[in-house]
Amino acid sequence: MRVAVIQFPGSNADFDALHALTSVMGAQAHYVFYREPDLGPVDAVVIPGGFSFGDYLRAGALARFSPVIGAVEKFARAGGPVLGICNGFQVLTEMGLLPGALAKNAHQRFECRSVFTRVEGTGILDRTLARGDVLRLPVAHADGRYMCDEATRSVLEGEGRVALRYCTEDGADATSYPDNPNGSMGAIAGIYNEQRNVLGMMPHPERACETLLGNDQGRRVLEALLGYRKGSA
Amino acid sequence: MTAATSGNGSAGETNFAGDRQVNEALAREMGLSAEEWARTLETLGRLPTYTELGVVSVMWSEHCSYKSSRKHLARLPTEGPQVVQGPGENAGAVDLGDGWCAVFKMESHNHPSYIEPFQGAATGVGGILRDVFTMGARPVASLNSLRFGRPDHPKTPELLRGVVAGIAHYGNCIGVPMVGGELQFDPSYDGNILVNAFTVGLSRQDGLFFGKATGVGNSVLYVGARTGRDGIHGATMASAEFSDDVEQQLPTVQVGDPFMEKLLLEGCLEIFASDCLEGVQDMGAAGLTSSSVEMADRGGTGIRLNMDAIPRRTRALTPYEMLLSESQERMLMVAKPGREQEVLDICEKWQLDACVIGEVTDTGRFECVATPGLDPFSGSETNHKATQQTVVDLPIALLTSAAPKYDRPHTLASTTRAPRPAPADAAAPESYLLDLLASPNVGSRAWVWHQYDHIVRDGTVLGPEQSDAAVIRLFCGEGPDAPRKYIAISADCDGRKVALHPRQGAAMAVAECTRNVVCSGAKPLGLTDCLNFGNPENPWVMGQFKEAIEGLAEACLALDAPVVSGNVSLYNDTNGAPILPTPTVAVVGQLEDVSHRLTLGFQSTGDSIALLGGGARTLEGSEWWAQHGDAEKNADAHKENGTWVDLGFDLELETRLQNLVLQAARTQLLRSAHDVSTGGMAVCLAECCEAGGLGAEVTLPGQSDALTRWYGEDPSRVVVSTDATKRAALESLAKEHNVPLTWIGTVGGDALSLDGTAAVSLGDIARARASALTSIVGV
């Protein structure tokens, strides 16, 4: 399994993704610099966390004009699995591969800590996770408050495209802070595209793959990505 | 560069817009004393130019010259087999084995952070990161040590919010985890907060870079952000007391751009790897001036700069402004012969401005030439016809080795008294516990560290509030099979203790810091310091400084933690009132094996709890005393009477204790370890309980009264827990190390019981701790 980890100026969880994919999961992964017009032969793409282009203008807004974006879009439209984590999720919404937007956290501060998320919907994660599974994962973002218009939201909910939702430790709905760390609409933490091969999520699974770091529940997310086959969702 | 050779010789009168008449009044305005002005005239044998006067005043500022502290700093131990690089470079380095080293430093950004908390703190983080990556190291973790005024001071909430948000803004964006630190509130910081930032990086020992301008004729390159007017005379501002007009100093504060710094970091590491540099230094305090002068000084050379070539971001900058600007995210590099283009190519990849601005000379002088009226933004051709003038022509030595050095008068206390006894009319000990846990000086710091990305780079094995020190995994090399090493880092100082007895209090700061590192399972390797004091022209403050240095030196020697880098911040006064003497230290240690790591929380019901070290003998200087014992009045009394208080610190016992804990960690005799510090034994136990989610029943024997036993903050004490089968082995190890061991209780239940009294529930402990900062800043 060959994975491209996209590297923008200002990406900073690119190392985390590469480390988790190679050292922990045993996959072949390599950086692809934002100026590259092609991805080369790869089976999956990860858009990592960070502050691409300093998050200037809006988080992810400038990254979408990078040469590599066309190649990512092509790869996704052809059904290849794409995982956008944190800033990667923001880039995916700016590119239009995923609907909605990530606004500033409700409390206006950056927030880094463990949260609980509940697996829902149908898509990439189905390979290793079942609906209702609860994952403890870290978040680390200032702009993670998912928002979209009502019509989009009913499509996402109706079609089972909400992939992850913030919840309590026992899986109940997150009704307020701190269970919902950023004030996301419907406590949405991650969503799929219509084809279910593109997943954007604010929590960081690549930082939760080792017991040495106190949490290995993110492995199941990366396993799902690495095990994804076109059309399997 | 060619233009730089066409100056018109020695500097004299120049004519640049904004230049002012050079005289003693102007020199005084720029911070020089009457003697320093006379010395300048005598050395030069002529009037300095306006630009030269700016250069001299900033290089002779306390911040750049260490003129009041240098004499005393020489007392600090800086050598040891583990030291790879000692003080004098951008950062120090210690050996991690197999050709790798940890590169680290701590630095203050106190004055700017009070004037503008967000940018002041943010650029403090940016500055310390550059100090570390300038050495060729990739930054792997940061800490910060913060001091604010009393919690109910009207400015405290905004200062705390601003500083934490500024640190978060910069550190999170650049992607270096902020894994811990410390935070204290005291009225002495009401008008002068402290922001001390620490960063550690990883480098090959043979991959270190130094700030040396060597090779006559080599090109000097400017890399990074363009120069603006921000931070002009920042170093001078940081070398003066505050008065009531502090807001007017706003233009001296720099503005940071962490995205630019991230590009600069990646670009620099790539340039270093290509081996095309002779030397490199970041433009920190006093910007282009100090970086050029210090590089030439270390290289034993001279530097000539063509000011016309400096990249700018604003109109009509004068040479004076460009030389004194503290615009952030800029580096000065000296390329190997013929390798300039490689540097420029890598800069292009990372979208960094870069150009040749001068050359290394053999003159031993700092020379700058500029064309009057030249402004690249003006669009006018006419001004290019003007002739370049020499605006600076100064001997390097005048700005470095021949800068003023003072042996300031100091006052030592005339008497040292025993600590005061606990008040006889105090209530039962357990009744104070929840109030103490809710104190901003004691309770949870989660409101702060939740705003920091403390896990980026997948190296944070133990982060904030998990262990007494943060434990970081280092990837030594590229690829999935790169060997790993593990370091532990902590930053500490309790200014209250230093005020009571500067020598013992400073030694206790070192001891607490190495103790914290040991309590995480690591052996201390080296130390960096950030010496924050008041006005050195006040003999009482100078006495504190001198004695604190002696204390640091004694403890660093005894605990084998040589000083490899550091920073001095004086003039931390507002309207004549100094801060608590605050010699903050940070220590880097290494774990032999990651399985030796220890957390502070109790692990398992039924485990035995032991106190290693002696009992508490005094409450004075404690948080309890601050809340109930009229600490402010006592502190004033010490000053008036010239009295210090014997805190009874026993450095030999401390050394034996730390050896014991390290040995116990390495032989895996312990389930947890936590040193007794702010708040005393009761607070220490409550923290062990909350972190582990388990209660405990503890009885504390000892000769002191109950209040002192539970809330005294005497040093050299560690609370450990162990599985009952290992009690005998731990006892014999303690005996071997000649350290008192007392079994004081058992882990279990959902409450903490002190001396068999009514227990305090885990829920109440958690609620009290959680309220400590939110009571100031809201949820």
Side-chain angles (χ1 to χ4, degrees), chain A residues 9-12 15-16 19 22-23 33-35 51 53-54 56 109-113 138 140 206-207 210 212-213, chain B residues 172-173 175 257 259 262-263 348-349 351 450-458 460-461 473 475 480 484 486 597 779:
Chain A
S11 294
N12 67 26
F15 175 83
D16 312 36
H19 163 73
T22 57
S23 304
F33 204 50
Y34 77 111
R35 284 182 174 178
F51 290 69
F53 295 91
Y56 291 134
R109 296 190 303 270
F110 189 97
E111 180 136 334
C112 177
R113 62 180 171 83
E206 83 288 14
R207 296 182 182 176
E210 298 168 84
L212 182 64
L213 303 184
Chain B
N172 295 344
C173 180
D257 177 357
F259 174 56
K262 171 72 172 165
L263 299 180
E348 194 282 327
K349 173 181 170 187
Q351 298 180 304
H450 279 163
Q451 295 184 58
Y452 301 150
D453 190 339
H454 50 276
I455 52 174
V456 60
R457 296 196 67 75
D458 275 359
T460 308
V461 177
R473 171 172 63 180
F475 297 93
R484 283 88 196 266
Y486 297 86
R597 71 189 184 281
V779 181

Side-chain angles (χ1 to χ4, degrees), chain B residues 387-406:
Chain B
T387 318
Q388 279 199 324
Q389 293 186 351
T390 299
V391 292
V392 176
D393 184 7
L394 296 170
I396 296 287
L398 174 75
L399 305 171
T400 55
S401 53
K405 231 182 284 181
Y406 297 124

Side-chain angles (χ1 to χ4, degrees), chain B residues 186-187 417-426 432 436 439 441-442 494 496-497 500 617-638 645 647 677-680 705 707-708 710-714:
Chain B
D186 184 273
R417 65 165 172 79
R420 295 170 211 274
D425 56 349
Y432 295 105
L436 271 171
S439 159
N441 280 328
V442 173
D494 185 346
R496 287 177 187 153
K497 312 289 195 296
L500 288 175
R617 284 158 302 191
T618 176
L619 273 174
E620 207 172 340
S622 68
E623 180 64 19
W624 188 93
W625 196 270
Q627 288 192 6
H628 305 281
D630 208 354
E632 220 170 323
K633 196 166 150 193
N634 283 328
D636 288 344
H638 305 154
V645 178
L647 298 170
S677 63
T678 311
D705 61 283
L707 208 57
T708 302
W710 286 111
Y711 298 112
E713 297 178 7
D714 294 55

Side-chain angles (χ1 to χ4, degrees), chain B residues 363-524:
Chain B
T363 59
R365 300 183 77 83
F366 180 45
E367 301 164 84
C368 303
V369 297
T371 306
L374 177 82
D375 180 6
F377 293 108
S378 74
S380 156
E381 292 295 316
T382 52
N383 54 24
H384 290 265
K385 289 175 187 157
T387 318
Q388 279 199 324
Q389 293 186 351
T390 299
V391 292
V392 176
D393 184 7
L394 296 170
I396 296 287
L398 174 75
L399 305 171
T400 55
S401 53
K405 231 182 284 181
Y406 297 124
D407 185 3
R408 304 251 191 222
H410 60 267
T411 311
L412 303 184
S414 50
T415 54
T416 301
R417 65 165 172 79
R420 295 170 211 274
D425 56 349
E430 68 276 8
S431 66
Y432 295 105
L433 180 57
L434 289 175
D435 275 353
L436 271 171
L437 290 173
S439 159
N441 280 328
V442 173
S444 170
R445 273 79 184 96
W447 180 86
V448 175
W449 57 261
H450 279 163
Q451 295 184 58
Y452 301 150
D453 190 339
H454 50 276
I455 52 174
V456 60
R457 296 196 67 75
D458 275 359
T460 308
V461 177
L462 296 173
E465 295 188 39
Q466 287 186 284
S467 172
D468 281 0
V471 173
I472 306 297
R473 171 172 63 180
L474 307 177
F475 297 93
C476 298
E478 305 279 328
D481 303 320
R484 283 88 196 266
K485 291 182 183 291
Y486 297 86
I487 57 169
I489 52 178
S490 178
D492 295 281
C493 182
D494 185 346
R496 287 177 187 153
K497 312 289 195 296
V498 187
L500 288 175
H501 195 291
R503 183 183 290 226
Q504 290 183 14
M508 283 161 62
V510 174
E512 178 169 0
C513 204
T514 56
R515 195 187 313 128
N516 281 336
V517 164
V518 164
C519 284
S520 74
K523 181 185 181 341

Side-chain angles (χ1 to χ4, degrees), chain A residues 21-152:
Chain A
L21 288 164
T22 57
S23 304
V24 183
M25 308 302 295
Q28 287 183 302
H30 60 278
Y31 294 132
V32 175
F33 204 50
Y34 77 111
R35 284 182 174 178
E36 298 292 332
D38 296 305
L39 293 173
V42 295
D43 307 301
V45 170
V46 172
I47 308 181
F51 290 69
S52 58
F53 295 91
D55 275 1
Y56 291 134
L57 189 57
R58 271 194 318 276
L62 296 174
R64 68 172 276 226
F65 296 106
S66 305
V68 76
I69 287 298
V72 171
E73 193 168 359
K74 202 168 134 199
F75 180 83
R77 302 264 185 237
V82 176
L83 172 63
I85 303 166
C86 196
N87 191 231
F89 184 10
Q90 294 158 347
V91 172
L92 289 170
T93 60
E94 291 288 340
M95 285 171 66
L97 277 181
L98 293 174
L102 285 310
K104 195 161 246 341
N105 294 348
H107 59 40
Q108 305 291 308
R109 296 190 303 270
F110 189 97
E111 180 136 334
C112 177
R113 62 180 171 83
S114 281
V115 299
F116 295 95
T117 57
R118 189 173 65 217
V119 177
E120 300 191 8
T122 306
I124 290 178
L125 296 178
D126 295 350
R127 189 158 189 98
T128 56
L129 291 156
R131 283 187 190 197
D133 282 354
V134 174
L135 294 176
R136 181 168 65 92
L137 294 172
V139 290
H141 59 249
D143 303 85
R145 181 184 194 182
Y146 185 76
M147 302 181 105
C148 61
D149 59 47
E150 275 309 316
T152 306

